[in-house]
Amino acid sequence: MTHVVATVGPACSSREVLGDLLKAGVDVFRFTASKTPVAQLAALAEVVRELAADLGLPVELVLDLPGAKPRLTNDAYLDLAGVTELVLRFDAGPSDLTGPVPRLGVSGLGPGDPRPSVGDLVVIGDGEDALRIVEHAAGSCRAVPLTTGVIGIRRGLSFPGARDAGGAQEFTPYDLAGLRAMAGTPFDAVVISFAESADLVDRARAVLSEGVREGPLPSVVAKVETATGAASADEVARAADGILLGRGDLLLDTGPVEFHAACRRVLDAARAIGCPVLVGTQLLTSLAAGWLPHRSELATVSGLLAEGVAGLMLSEETAGATDPVRAVTLLTGLRDRYAPTTVRTALFPSRP
C-alpha cells in the first residue's frame, strides 16, 4: 500500500482543515521541527489523533527533526527583485532587511563547518533562489543575487561543493532534545535528517530507548538526502525502520546530472531488503499556485505509485498551499488508479 503523507503547516493547522485532509485520504501526517518547538507540535499531533478517532480513521504521526543544516534567521520575507547585493553573517544573529543592502544572519554552522568562498554559489531552499559570493570577510560575506524570487522565512542554505562529505555524523543539541522529548508524545515515528550511516540510526534508537521505558519504541526513519547517504543506502536501510528519500537536499548535493542515479540507488537498496521508502518534496508543487499539475509531476507520481513505494509525501502542497485538500484529493485519486488496494496497512508497525 502506498500511503499519502501530508506535511502540517500554516495552511492546514486548523481542526477543520486537518479533518478535511483525513477525509480526503491522508494516512500519515508529518510534523516538521525545523521552525516549531517539539512540544507545540506534539500538542497539535494530539489534535490530529483525536480527529482521526472521531472520524473512525487510522492515522500515523511522524516527527521530522531538522538535522544540522544552515538556515537564514530572517523573520520576514525578502523580495530579491531590485536587490543588487546583500550580506550573509555567519554569527547566527538576527537579520536586518532594511536599507539598500539587506543583512541576513545564518544559523546552524559549527566552528569547523565550511563557509563559501569568493566565486561560490549559495543555494536557498530547494533551489528556488541562488546567490554568488563576491567578497569574503571574517564572519561574513557579500553576495549578489542570481535570481529575483522571494526568500521565505528561515529558509535552509546549501553551499554546493563546500560540504565535507562522509565526515563523522553527530546529532545537534536540538535534535537530541527532540529525540528525548518523544516519550509520552503521540508520534509513531521520528525522522532523522541527513542520515549517512547505520551508526546514526542506532544512536537515535539508543536515545529513544532512554526515554521510552514502557510500550513500543517509536520507529526511526532515516532521511537520505546526500550523495554519501545514497551511496550508503544499503547499510542505512538495514538499520532503519524506513527511508525518507529527501529529493530536495539530495539534488543540491548531487547536482542535476547524478540526481536520478542517486535516487535509484536508494530505491533499489531499500527494495532489496524490504525497507519501506517514502518519497518526498515537489511531487505536486504546481498545485500550490496553479490549477492543473505539471505533466512531469503527474508522470513522476504515477510512476512511483506503479513502482509500489510505501509513501508519497506532500510538503508545501499541504503546508503552505491555498487549497491543501485539493492536492491530497488528486494524490489519492492517482493512488486509487495506479496502486489500488483494499487493505489499509500500518506504515510503521509498533516496535517492541
Side-chain angles (χ1 to χ4, degrees):
M1 172 183 173
T2 299
H3 296 73
V4 174
V5 185
T7 299
V8 177
C12 62
S13 57
S14 69
R15 293 182 67 94
E16 180 183 4
V17 178
L18 289 169
D20 288 342
L21 290 175
L22 282 164
K23 296 173 189 176
V26 172
D27 305 295
V28 182
F29 281 95
R30 167 183 173 247
F31 297 79
T32 58
S34 58
K35 302 174 185 178
T36 306
V38 172
Q40 185 176 333
L41 295 174
L44 187 56
E46 290 282 9
V47 172
V48 175
R49 185 74 75 194
E50 293 169 4
L51 287 169
D54 291 342
L55 292 168
L57 294 172
V59 70
E60 292 178 89
L61 310 174
V62 177
L63 176 68
D64 193 341
L65 298 175
K69 181 175 183 177
R71 291 187 178 275
L72 297 171
T73 63
N74 57 311
D75 290 321
Y77 291 90
L78 174 62
D79 190 343
L80 292 176
V83 175
T84 57
E85 63 178 6
L86 52 82
V87 172
L88 295 177
R89 298 171 43 206
F90 301 121
D91 59 0
S95 298
D96 181 3
L97 307 185
T98 63
V101 181
R103 300 176 66 85
L104 289 164
V106 178
S107 65
L109 285 173
D113 291 334
R115 271 67 166 169
S117 302
V118 173
D120 284 351
L121 280 174
V122 177
V123 180
I124 301 171
D126 283 336
E128 299 88 357
D129 292 290
L131 316 170
R132 178 80 70 185
I133 305 300
V134 295
E135 183 180 338
H136 199 282
S140 68
C141 62
R142 190 174 294 268
V144 296
L146 302 179
T147 54
T148 57
V150 177
I151 298 178
I153 295 171
R154 286 171 279 169
R155 295 290 282 164
L157 298 182
S158 176
F159 310 136
R163 188 174 174 277
D164 182 19
Q169 291 192 276
E170 297 293 339
F171 288 116
T172 66
Y174 184 83
D175 281 6
L176 281 174
L179 288 168
R180 290 169 179 145
M182 285 286 290
T185 69
F187 295 116
D188 301 287
V190 61
V191 177
I192 54 173
S193 294
F194 301 103
E196 296 179 343
S197 68
D199 178 65
L200 192 73
V201 177
D202 293 339
R203 283 189 282 131
R205 196 168 284 127
V207 175
L208 290 171
S209 299
E210 295 171 2
V212 181
R213 300 297 184 184
E214 297 180 356
L217 196 66
S219 297
V220 177
V221 181
K223 190 188 297 185
V224 176
E225 48 192 334
T226 66
T228 302
S232 305
D234 290 337
E235 67 163 286
V236 174
R238 283 194 295 269
D241 298 303
I243 295 288
L244 173 53
L245 177 54
R247 301 187 309 160
D249 280 295
L250 183 60
L251 173 59
L252 298 177
D253 198 47
T254 63
V257 174
E258 295 300 322
F259 172 70
H260 175 70
C263 290
R264 194 69 263 164
R265 280 195 294 272
V266 177
L267 292 169
D268 291 345
R271 180 187 293 108
I273 64 168
C275 180
V277 178
L278 290 75
V279 180
T281 66
Q282 297 184 335
L283 294 175
L284 296 170
T285 312
S286 56
L287 289 184
W291 184 253
L292 279 177
H294 291 165
R295 284 66 173 168
S296 57
E297 293 175 337
L298 285 173
T300 297
V301 169
S302 300
L304 289 167
L305 285 166
E307 187 168 333
V309 297
L312 291 175
M313 187 188 80
L314 300 174
S315 185
E316 59 263 49
E317 299 96 331
T318 53
T322 55
D323 190 354
V325 177
R326 196 160 71 90
V328 171
T329 301
L330 173 59
L331 184 54
T332 303
L334 291 170
R335 177 180 65 180
D336 292 344
R337 171 64 178 85
Y338 297 107
T341 181
T342 57
V343 180
R344 192 165 183 170
T345 59
L347 181 59
F348 304 115
S350 296
R351 171 184 283 268

